[in-house]
Amino acid sequence: MFRASGRGGGVGEAARRGVYGSPIEGLKIDTAGAEQLSPLVPGAAALEDLGEGALDGLVIVAPPGTAERRHALALGLKALRPGAPFTVLAPKDKGGSRLGDELDAFGCRFEETGKRHHRICVGVRPEAPQGLDEAVAAGAPRLVEALGLWSQPGIFSWDRLDPGSALLIEMLPALAGRGADFGCGLGVLSHAALRSPKVKALTLIDVDRRAVEAAKRNVDDPRATVRWADLRTGPQGLANLDFVVMNPPFHQGGIEDQGLGQGFVATAAKALRRGGALWLTANRHLPYEGVLKPLFGRVEVRAEARGFKVFEART
């Protein structure tokens, strides 16, 4: 990886290398010393903020969504200097089968191999890539008229109201006190929570920088604070909250991972005061009862419809 003709960096300068996402260990993709650029890693630099030709090498774990994937590839090629090497990979059934065609359309030279159900493309950035601006624009932030909210491909339910969130909004009572929206996304649940004048403060948290930036534009309320953080590592300094609302994730990289939502629930239990309430919506098939009952004194199903459940859990 990171081998190509020409030197990396200027005279006396170390090569600047980037990585977008986290390659699985079994693929043995070398990312040592590379700068993290994924919007899903809090604190990472933004690929779109790098100057053209800023990178001497890049690894991209390509996202599963077509517009999001082509957006990331185009931004990556813009950030690479001409002749600099890249490695792009994805599971075959999560966009990997399309990587070759997409890179070819950008005018890239590469070799394509398969390993551990992934497609891996290794090549160099051409002098004059084709179609980068169009791909960047297609995956860029925009106002979604149907929602009346700013959004971007790659954010959860980026262009429609998720039916689970819709059900929770129907059931949500007038909240009060200090609360949080875990995995806030575009801020849909936060809008519902802030309708109550008794809410004093609301912290919106998401691991996706794109969602955080969208939520800042969408939730214009002095009681709201938006943070980019990973709730799986703990309550992020939140304590003695009166309520938490959430539509927790259960996919990572397009693959179901029930541990994500379970981690959100455990974090909520730590952040709530005694008697505080968690309002959670989830797909009906997900086994949240078994996760909630050991952590909360009272757990009730408030609604079950359209393939989803809404839980109210009290500490």
Side-chain angles (χ1 to χ4, degrees), residues 246-313:
M246 70 166 74
N247 182 352
F250 67 99
H251 284 92
Q252 182 165 288
I255 300 172
E256 183 169 323
D257 182 356
Q258 296 184 8
L260 293 173
Q262 294 168 3
F264 271 45
V265 169
T267 297
K270 295 175 183 177
L272 287 163
R273 65 167 175 79
R274 182 174 295 276
L278 167 63
W279 285 88
L280 178 153
T281 183
N283 292 67
R284 186 165 50 196
H285 77 277
L286 296 175
Y288 275 104
E289 286 91 341
V291 179
L292 290 164
K293 288 180 179 179
L295 298 173
F296 292 86
R298 178 165 62 88
V299 178
E300 297 185 48
V301 177
R302 291 300 187 186
E304 186 169 355
R306 304 188 291 275
F308 292 87
K309 285 183 179 181
V310 169
F311 296 93
E312 179 189 6

Side-chain angles (χ1 to χ4, degrees), residues 114-278:
K115 186 176 182 181
R116 298 193 67 173
H117 306 292
H118 280 66
R119 300 303 297 175
I120 305 171
C121 297
V122 178
V124 296
R125 195 263 203 195
E127 287 287 339
Q130 306 161 10
L132 299 188
D133 290 341
E134 293 83 354
V136 169
R142 81 283 308 267
L143 180 65
V144 178
E145 293 185 5
L147 295 172
L149 300 172
W150 281 88
S151 188
Q152 183 176 0
I155 300 174
F156 170 71
S157 195
W158 77 274
D159 61 351
R160 64 183 180 87
L161 177 59
D162 176 73
S165 293
L167 183 62
L168 177 54
I169 290 170
E170 291 175 18
M171 301 305 302
L172 205 60
L175 300 170
R178 297 170 52 252
D181 181 352
F182 282 9
C184 65
L186 303 178
V188 172
L189 295 181
S190 293
H191 270 294
L194 289 166
R195 289 174 189 163
S196 171
K198 294 184 179 180
V199 171
K200 296 178 180 178
L202 183 69
T203 302
L204 291 70
I205 301 179
D206 205 290
V207 74
D208 190 333
R209 173 178 49 77
R210 300 163 301 184
V212 167
E213 292 172 354
K216 287 178 179 178
R217 303 181 78 163
N218 294 329
V219 184
D220 183 16
D221 190 301
R223 297 172 292 170
T225 302
V226 188
R227 293 170 53 189
W228 183 22
D230 188 345
L231 287 159
R232 294 173 297 180
T233 63
Q236 303 296 325
L238 297 174
N240 297 314
L241 295 180
D242 297 292
F243 66 88
V244 171
V245 296
M246 70 166 74
N247 182 352
F250 67 99
H251 284 92
Q252 182 165 288
I255 300 172
E256 183 169 323
D257 182 356
Q258 296 184 8
L260 293 173
Q262 294 168 3
F264 271 45
V265 169
T267 297
K270 295 175 183 177
L272 287 163
R273 65 167 175 79
R274 182 174 295 276
L278 167 63

Side-chain angles (χ1 to χ4, degrees), residues 40-99:
L40 302 180
V41 179
L47 184 55
E48 58 267 34
D49 289 345
L50 300 184
E52 292 197 20
L55 295 177
D56 299 297
L58 178 64
V59 171
I60 294 181
V61 182
T66 300
E68 179 191 7
R69 183 175 60 252
R70 294 186 72 251
H71 180 77
L73 293 177
L75 289 174
L77 289 170
K78 276 180 169 285
L80 280 169
R81 63 173 174 79
F86 63 76
T87 297
V88 182
L89 63 146
K92 295 177 182 178
D93 59 347
K94 302 296 180 182
S97 62
R98 303 184 184 95
L99 283 181

